[in-house]
Amino acid sequence: MFVAALSWSAPSHALFEDSEARRAILELRQRMDSLGQASQRAGERSGDEVSQLRRSLLDLQTQIEALRTEQAMLRGQNEQLQREVAELQRRQKDIAQGVDERLRQFEPVKVSLDGREFQADPAEKRDFEAALAVFRSGRFAEAGTAFSAFIKQYPQSGYQPSALFWLGNAQYATRDYKEAINNFKALLAAAPSHARAPEAALSIANCQIELKDTRAARKTLEDLVRTYPNSEAATAAKERLARLK
């Protein structure tokens, strides 16, 4: 029996050891599986994170490109605005210069005529000079019309005495002696000290001579010599008085 017991004890001990080994192997395998799964999950998580990071980088790059495009567009718009502002400033400058020029057309100018200085509107100056140019061209009837219109349009003008003088001369040239006398007398009444006054008085006498009014002509010439003794017209008046006698 002792032998029998010994014969059974060995297998029992071996069986026990095999079971423990198997458990250890199973536990080791479970641990390895667990570690593998954990590693896999970690790898999956790492892959997901890398994919997410790549997507984030791609999104960031897309945003950067969009910002660059927007910046380029804004730069272009800014340059266009700068060009428009420059063009607007140029136009404003042109408009301001045009306004200044138009205003200057209405600003009085200083005139020196027949020994007198006065202020006149540009249009007034232009109209007088135009009428005088017509007279000097020998178109006396047209000149008379132009000076008559000027006197009516600019009744307070500093040109008035000179306009009356040239109107009278235009009428004398067209043999309208009575109207010429009236305008020469208007000059003498309005501006007796005017540089053209002695000539106007002499012209009155000439008109009276043409009208055969010798007595009136003689009186006019005598008044001329007495009023303007040092004038060239007075010298001419003395000669005419000598011939009238």
Side-chain angles (χ1 to χ4, degrees), residues 7-236:
S7 64
W8 282 101
S9 62
S12 176
H13 180 72
L15 181 62
F16 174 78
E17 290 178 352
D18 289 342
S19 176
E20 290 295 331
R22 281 195 298 273
R23 277 199 308 273
I25 291 171
L26 288 173
E27 290 177 358
L28 181 60
R29 284 180 178 175
Q30 289 176 353
R31 290 179 182 178
M32 290 180 68
D33 290 342
S34 297
L35 289 172
Q37 291 174 0
S39 177
Q40 183 178 0
R41 287 194 297 273
E44 290 176 354
R45 287 196 298 272
S46 178
D48 291 341
E49 290 175 357
V50 170
S51 298
Q52 182 63 33
L53 180 59
R54 286 178 178 173
R55 286 194 296 271
S56 298
L57 289 173
L58 181 60
D59 291 343
L60 181 59
Q61 186 176 1
T62 302
Q63 292 176 9
I64 291 173
E65 291 299 326
L67 287 173
R68 287 177 178 173
T69 301
E70 184 178 0
Q71 185 181 19
M73 182 179 65
L74 291 175
R75 186 183 298 112
Q77 291 176 350
N78 185 48
E79 292 175 353
Q80 179 64 26
L81 287 174
Q82 288 178 348
R83 287 192 293 269
E84 291 177 356
V85 169
E87 177 65 17
L88 180 60
Q89 290 175 341
R90 185 190 64 79
R91 291 182 180 178
Q92 287 178 336
K93 183 178 179 181
D94 292 342
I95 291 172
Q97 290 177 345
V99 170
D100 288 342
E101 290 177 0
R102 286 192 292 272
L103 288 176
R104 282 195 292 271
Q105 292 177 358
F106 297 98
E107 290 180 356
V109 296
K110 186 176 181 179
V111 176
S112 180
L113 179 67
D114 293 333
R116 288 191 171 190
E117 291 186 352
F118 53 90
Q119 297 289 321
D121 291 336
E124 180 183 349
K125 182 174 183 292
R126 182 188 62 243
D127 291 347
F128 178 84
E129 291 177 349
L132 187 59
V134 173
F135 179 89
R136 288 173 174 169
S137 70
R139 293 174 290 162
F140 301 116
E142 293 179 30
T145 300
F147 279 116
S148 293
F150 180 90
I151 291 168
K152 291 178 181 178
Q153 186 172 357
Y154 306 104
Q156 304 301 321
S157 173
Y159 283 106
Q160 276 286 329
S162 297
L164 288 167
F165 176 79
W166 292 109
L167 173 59
N169 275 281
Q171 292 167 334
Y172 179 87
T174 57
R175 298 184 179 182
D176 190 358
Y177 302 121
K178 290 184 179 180
E179 284 302 316
I181 290 172
N182 290 335
N183 286 302
F184 287 131
K185 285 184 176 181
L187 187 164
L188 292 174
S193 61
H194 193 271
R196 297 287 185 177
E199 295 178 63
L202 182 61
S203 295
I204 291 172
N206 290 336
C207 290
Q208 292 168 336
I209 291 171
E210 294 292 340
L211 291 171
K212 309 301 182 182
D213 191 350
T214 305
R215 178 179 297 178
R218 182 179 291 109
K219 183 178 186 307
T220 300
L221 293 171
E222 290 173 349
D223 290 341
L224 167 57
V225 172
R226 183 173 56 257
T227 305
Y228 307 104
N230 299 319
S231 65
E232 294 182 3
T235 301

